Amino acid sequence: MSAYYEELLETLQERLGESVVNPRVALGELTFETPPEKLLATCRALRDNDAFACAQLIDLCGVDYSEYGEQPWDGPRYAVVYHLLSIRHNHRIRLKCFIDGEPPRIASMIDIWASANWFEREAFDLYGILFEGHPDLRRILTDYGFVGHPFRKDFPLSGNVEMRYDPERQRVVYEPVTVEPRINQPRVIRHDNRYLDPASEEGGDA
């Protein structure tokens, strides 16, 4: 299987050129990055080009890299990751696009894969990523009065507001949290395969 993906990687580089950044075969899938300005054209090529034929977007997720790994992160804070599937060729491609800014912005993929609709709403809700061109970008998991984006790594564990029913007003009201924020669990970095020295044959502790 790895030989197949190595060949697919060569085809990807030949046909997409500078749109392909840091390509590799990882975890049984072809993985690469693309700049935000080339994202739409790259995704259309992955769907329409017969060599790739990725007709399905099976998942889309956001990532906050502000506290990633053992060293301070050097690069854009956010990324959007697209998991693509080709039924015709029975292969998978993982595409990652790094973005920055506040709020972070990236093009919507709805016109290419309709399944991006709720995935993008989820990434907006949890990370605050704005998908430009999305026809109905609103929260999908948290309620409409929720403040902040709970999957960001600087989001307080107790949240920013709390909700209760006010019998006098006969409606739900939002108020500042009354719980004093505290951290009971220290930050732990597991020494998994992300931090192994490629030259070393021995892994760290699980």
Side-chain angles (χ1 to χ4, degrees):
M1 179 61 74
S2 60
Y4 172 83
Y5 277 109
E6 292 291 349
E7 183 177 344
L8 183 63
L9 188 152
E10 294 180 3
T11 303
L12 184 77
Q13 292 176 305
E14 290 174 0
R15 303 201 179 185
L16 298 186
E18 296 180 354
S19 297
V20 179
V21 178
N22 193 22
R24 66 263 188 208
V25 177
L27 302 176
E29 295 182 17
L30 173 58
T31 300
F32 73 101
E33 301 161 16
T34 198
E37 64 274 12
K38 297 181 180 295
L39 179 63
L40 279 171
T42 299
C43 288
R44 287 196 182 96
L46 291 173
R47 182 194 65 181
D48 298 337
N49 193 298
D50 290 339
F52 313 122
C54 292
Q56 290 189 3
L57 171 68
I58 59 175
D59 194 16
L60 177 159
C61 63
V63 183
D64 180 358
Y65 282 95
S66 59
E67 293 183 14
Y68 179 82
E70 297 178 315
Q71 303 297 326
W73 178 254
D74 182 19
R77 174 175 176 176
Y78 302 99
V80 178
V81 184
Y82 305 84
H83 297 266
L84 310 176
L85 172 65
S86 171
I87 299 294
R88 184 189 309 171
H89 301 305
N90 190 27
H91 64 226
R92 296 171 184 264
I93 295 179
R94 183 189 299 110
L95 170 63
K96 184 182 295 185
C97 186
F98 284 94
I99 52 176
D100 220 333
E102 193 54 58
R105 298 174 182 270
I106 197 169
S108 172
M109 293 295 113
I110 284 185
D111 290 341
I112 300 177
W113 296 289
S115 61
N117 191 335
W118 283 15
F119 293 146
E120 290 179 351
R121 285 181 58 188
E122 180 184 48
F124 161 70
D125 192 356
L126 301 180
Y127 292 94
I129 299 171
L130 297 183
F131 292 87
E132 297 180 325
H134 193 291
D136 187 25
L137 193 62
R138 54 193 169 95
R139 294 186 182 274
I140 192 172
L141 296 177
T142 61
D143 61 274
Y144 297 130
F146 196 88
V147 176
H149 304 283
F151 274 21
R152 290 189 176 192
K153 292 182 178 177
D154 55 3
F155 186 82
L157 295 179
S158 57
N160 293 307
V161 296
E162 58 188 23
M163 179 178 62
R164 68 175 178 84
Y165 179 77
D166 189 321
E168 294 182 359
R169 303 181 192 178
Q170 296 186 348
R171 65 178 177 86
V172 169
V173 296
Y174 296 88
E175 299 172 336
V177 292
T178 56
V179 177
E180 182 179 348
R182 61 180 182 175
I183 298 176
N184 294 327
Q185 179 66 37
R187 181 168 180 254
V188 176
I189 297 179
R190 296 186 180 276
H191 293 282
D192 58 24
N193 58 356
R194 290 174 296 173
Y195 311 117
L196 294 181
D197 183 353
S200 174
E201 295 182 358
E202 297 182 0
D205 296 333

